[in-house]
């Protein structure tokens, strides 16, 4: 099984991937690690700030890694913000039946009520360098994410009220 975890920045994608790794002993791939490896090695001239261009650059690589894992009957969690909303178009039905995907989205009211907590937990799994997240930016990014989820029919977890994100893979 392949599990895709996507969504806006600071929504807890990496934390959820880490929890799933611990619970199910499934390895996970952080697309951010792949991104930084390619940038630091000079394999691309893109920078960490080139989000849309990075999606176009990284997704074909990640997509083919997912296909390889499925063909080898391997489980894999893939997390990151560089998974396009229309990712399903890139897979034949025999691949799609092995993939489960969720996008994490925070509501405006959640962000407004919990912004300090969001910032406090930003480095729970990996240390964020130069984290200049603002409430306005986070609200804008999550509203765009929700709009795109609805437009493309993506499964998403809306974080509203208390932060409680869990995915039960045994039900699948």
């Amino acid at each position: 099984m392949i599990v895709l975890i996507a969504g806006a920045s600071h929504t807890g994608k990496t934390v959820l991937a880490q929890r799933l790794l611990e619970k199910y002993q499934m390895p996970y791939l952080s697309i951010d690690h792949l991104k930084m490896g390619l940038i630091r090695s000079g394999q691309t001239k893109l920078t960490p700030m080139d989000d849309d261009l990075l999606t176009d650059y990284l997704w074909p690589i990640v997509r083919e890694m997912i296909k390889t894992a499925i063909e080898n009957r391997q489980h894999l969690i893939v997390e990151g913000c560089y998974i396009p909303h229309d990712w399903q178009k890139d897979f034949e039905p025999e691949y799609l039946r092995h993939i489960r995907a969720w996008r994490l989205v925070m509501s405006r009211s959640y962000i407004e009520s919990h912004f300090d907590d969001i910032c406090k937990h930003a480095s729970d799994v990996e240390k964020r360098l130069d984290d200049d997240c603002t409430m306005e930016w986070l609200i804008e990014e999550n509203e765009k994410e929700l709009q795109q989820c609805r437009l493309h029919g993506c499964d998403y977890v809306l974080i509203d009220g208390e932060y409680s994100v869990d995915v039960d893979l045994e039900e699948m």
Side-chain angles (χ1 to χ4, degrees):
M1 173 188 318
I2 306 298
V3 176
L4 304 180
I5 303 169
S9 181
H10 290 74
T11 55
K13 298 177 298 293
T14 307
V15 170
L16 178 57
Q18 182 68 35
R19 284 185 193 151
L20 293 174
L21 173 145
E22 293 167 3
K23 184 174 181 178
Y24 297 104
Q25 273 72 74
M26 289 175 64
Y28 82 84
L29 167 69
S30 166
I31 301 175
D32 277 343
H33 291 173
L34 176 62
K35 168 190 77 177
M36 291 311 299
L38 291 165
I39 290 171
R40 288 179 169 181
S41 68
Q43 299 299 308
T44 180
K45 298 294 183 208
L46 297 173
T47 73
M49 304 310 294
D50 295 323
D51 281 339
D52 291 337
L53 295 172
L54 281 163
T55 298
D56 294 341
Y57 180 72
L58 294 168
W59 178 244
I61 299 166
V62 173
R63 177 191 67 217
E64 297 308 314
M65 292 172 73
I66 291 167
K67 288 179 182 177
T68 301
I70 292 170
E71 291 161 357
N72 287 299
R73 296 186 175 106
Q74 295 171 312
H75 300 294
L76 181 64
I77 300 162
V78 179
E79 67 87 12
C81 60
Y82 304 106
I83 299 171
H85 291 87
D86 61 350
W87 64 269
Q88 292 180 339
K89 71 175 176 44
D90 293 330
F91 295 94
E92 299 295 326
E94 62 267 17
Y95 290 104
L96 286 173
R97 65 187 183 96
H98 297 281
I99 303 172
R100 302 295 176 266
W102 293 272
R103 301 188 81 91
L104 304 182
V105 183
M106 292 177 173
S107 71
R108 172 186 283 270
S109 62
Y110 180 84
I111 295 167
E112 291 172 346
S113 301
H114 297 89
F115 183 71
D116 290 339
D117 289 331
I118 293 167
C119 293
K120 183 174 77 176
H121 291 287
S123 294
D124 279 359
V125 175
E126 57 189 13
K127 185 174 178 355
R128 290 181 183 267
L129 302 175
D130 302 324
D131 189 14
D132 52 356
C133 174
T134 66
M135 184 184 303
E136 295 75 24
W137 176 78
L138 204 55
I139 289 169
E140 180 182 326
E141 289 298 303
N142 278 272
E143 287 177 350
K144 285 193 289 190
E145 179 67 30
L146 184 56
Q147 179 184 27
Q148 289 297 308
C149 285
R150 290 176 174 160
L151 178 67
H152 292 282
C154 303
D155 289 331
Y156 63 90
V157 176
L158 183 63
I159 301 161
D160 189 36
E162 291 303 311
Y163 191 98
S164 177
V165 176
D166 192 23
V167 175
D168 188 358
L169 301 180
E170 293 171 4
E171 293 180 4
M172 298 173 195

